[in-house]
Amino acid sequence: MKQSVKVKLLDLVPQYERIKDEIFEAIGGVLSTQQFILGSPVETLEGRIADFCRVEHAVGCASGSDALLLALMALGVREGDEVITTPYTFFSTVSSITRLGARPVFADIDPATFNIDPASIRDSITARTKAVIVVHLFGQTADMDPILALGGERGVPVIEDACQAIGASYKGRSAGSMGSVGCFSFFPSKNLGGYGDGGMITTDDVRLAQNIRILRVHGSRERYFHDFVGINSRLDAIQAAVLTVKLGYLEEWNELRRERAAYYHELFSEVPEVTVPPVTEGNVPVFNQYVIRIQRRNECKAFCIENGIGCEIYYPVPLHLQKCFSSLGYREGDFPEAERASRETLALPIYPELEKGQQEYVAERITGFFQGRL
Ligand SMILES: *Cc1c(COP(=O)(O)O)cnc(C)c1O
């Protein structure tokens, strides 16, 4: 019989219990207006996110996946174009490209940080490269300076997929404020999670922001008059109200995640079999996930589950090897570091309310697994 869960991978209940009254009030405020699509709650959140990320404009939309799609649409990406990105990310970083008929061109990752390797981007740029999407994976930003320099040199805009990195910073600059466009997700498991789907796009470029505002409402500047074919991708007022409440706590919650990451670091410091995620110079990560690298990963995962420890593999199949992308012609061996990461990584429980005793239990079990003491 499977043992009951002792430590969940993510538990949102304690956070909800703490802010319940504020949430009820915020949702009640929206219900009393009976205005559910966009409107002033969304405008308020857009302003707050723009301030938080230190950008000029923020535009709400229906999901992080749509944020990526809208960003590419606004940059004019279309059939025949190439977009460079990482094969080691969530699916929609890449499906946003193929949905527009453009071709994803993959560049391998840095094995230490799991983020796209700037040198590998340089090798992949062609005359058809229309954009680069970098992903700030697990909440730590990619090495942006060389990437932005390369983008500037070649006239290629850089999109930041910051869905896992709201509040993270790189050399004092906020995730989502460094490239031409930043994309955020408010999926419930993100550091700023709504009570359903939601997303946001950030930019300093007023024209891009205006275009995205039009594209998210079917491409109409004025209702029923369509200059472009856009999509239906709006943020709900109820989600915006919830997110505005939660944004007030985000900095504190991100700090608590960093403290928990530091404690795991300490707990695993004498366990050479476990490689903990490094924090690179100039980076302030937000640990949307806490991902270790280990051998015998699948065995260790099964062992964790048996011991009531929630854990997950992000991501078991790199995107160049997904069946739906087989027509791109990539093969096993093309991106060795992404492939190795897919075999060796395991995400452990992390969230602001995670208790020390729970972390000690996780570390004690995993240490026992590797050192044969169990
Ligand atoms: C969550 C996530 C997305 C997609 O966000 P949704 O809101 O679920 O559509 C895209 N990219 C990355 C890296 C993500 O983690």
Side-chain angles (χ1 to χ4, degrees):
M1 207 185 73
K2 230 181 194 176
Q3 215 180 336
S4 63
V5 179
K6 288 206 169 68
V7 190
K8 289 183 182 168
L9 181 61
L10 171 65
D11 187 358
L12 291 167
V13 173
Q15 179 195 76
Y16 168 65
E17 291 295 341
R18 176 176 168 200
I19 60 175
K20 206 173 182 173
D21 293 344
E22 282 177 89
I23 293 285
F24 270 58
E25 202 181 311
I27 293 178
V30 176
L31 294 183
S32 63
T33 67
Q34 290 292 296
Q35 302 286 322
F36 298 111
I37 308 293
L38 299 174
S40 70
V42 172
E43 283 163 25
T44 301
L45 181 68
E46 288 175 342
R48 296 275 308 276
I49 293 280
D51 289 345
F52 185 82
C53 296
R54 291 174 282 170
V55 293
E56 292 293 321
H57 311 280
V59 184
C61 64
S63 68
S65 302
D66 276 3
L68 289 157
L69 182 66
L70 286 163
L72 290 170
M73 288 172 85
L75 289 168
V77 170
R78 54 197 177 89
E79 213 167 323
D81 292 336
E82 293 177 355
V83 178
I84 298 173
T85 194
T86 164
Y88 189 61
T89 176
F90 179 66
F91 179 71
S92 66
T93 310
V94 175
S95 63
S96 63
I97 302 167
T98 58
R99 210 168 272 287
L100 295 172
R103 179 184 171 85
V105 172
F106 294 113
D108 210 355
I109 57 168
D110 172 340
T113 63
F114 307 114
N115 279 323
I116 197 164
D117 177 357
S120 166
I121 299 178
R122 183 177 283 279
D123 294 341
S124 313
I125 280 198
T126 73
R128 288 184 299 279
T129 305
K130 196 71 190 258
V132 174
I133 306 181
V134 301
V135 180
H136 303 319
L137 203 65
F138 307 142
Q140 174 158 257
T141 64
D143 189 13
M144 290 303 285
D145 276 346
I147 297 172
L148 293 169
L150 182 63
E153 198 182 293
R154 304 294 292 259
V156 174
V158 176
I159 298 172
E160 297 176 68
D161 178 342
C163 289
Q164 299 180 2
I166 191 161
S169 67
Y170 172 87
K171 301 184 182 174
R173 287 171 282 163
S174 299
S177 75
M178 295 175 272
S180 299
V181 193
C183 299
F184 293 93
S185 165
F186 303 128
F187 185 80
S189 68
K190 309 294 184 184
N191 287 27
L192 180 61
Y195 291 173
D197 279 305
M200 187 79 64
I201 297 143
T202 51
T203 183
D204 284 329
D205 182 330
V206 64
R207 285 201 36 218
L208 270 181
Q210 277 167 351
N211 282 342
I212 292 166
R213 284 184 193 284
I214 294 167
L215 287 167
R216 74 174 170 179
V217 287
H218 303 287
S220 59
R221 207 179 301 266
E222 191 185 333
R223 201 180 291 188
Y224 308 125
F225 293 82
H226 300 268
D227 299 344
F228 321 98
V229 181
I231 60 176
N232 172 5
S233 182
R234 300 169 297 219
L235 184 62
D236 288 343
I238 287 180
Q239 296 305 336
V242 167
L243 290 162
T244 301
V245 170
K246 292 183 73 172
L247 182 58
Y249 296 95
L250 184 58
E251 249 168 314
E252 177 193 330
W253 288 337
N254 281 345
E255 183 55 34
L256 290 170
R257 281 174 183 266
R258 280 190 288 272
E259 282 173 17
R260 271 130 197 87
Y263 193 44
Y264 273 135
H265 202 103
E266 189 185 320
L267 291 169
F268 287 122
S269 61
E270 313 269 288
V271 189
E273 293 88 347
V274 174
T275 304
V276 299
V279 174
T280 52
E281 174 102 26
N283 253 301
V284 183
V286 294
F287 292 101
N288 183 236
Q289 284 92 1
Y290 184 85
V291 174
I292 58 171
R293 187 194 280 277
I294 50 177
Q295 300 301 311
R296 296 164 61 209
R297 190 271 317 274
N298 291 350
E299 242 181 287
C300 183
K301 183 189 174 200
F303 174 86
C304 285
I305 306 279
E306 264 167 43
N307 283 274
I309 297 168
C311 56
E312 192 52 85
I313 296 167
Y314 302 114
Y315 297 92
V317 182
L319 295 176
H320 66 288
L321 300 179
Q322 294 285 349
K323 196 170 167 189
C324 65
F325 297 138
S326 61
S327 65
L328 295 172
Y330 287 111
R331 280 191 310 245
E332 187 141 8
D334 284 344
F335 303 101
E337 290 303 342
E339 291 165 25
R340 193 161 71 88
S342 292
R343 289 191 301 269
E344 297 182 350
T345 54
L346 189 65
L348 302 181
I350 193 156
Y351 47 92
E353 299 79 10
L354 184 67
E355 288 164 18
K356 274 198 152 167
Q358 293 178 304
Q359 291 191 271
E360 286 156 9
Y361 174 75
V362 171
E364 183 254 324
R365 290 282 126 166
I366 292 175
T367 304
F369 174 83
F370 283 107
Q371 304 193 340
R373 284 195 270 101
L374 292 170

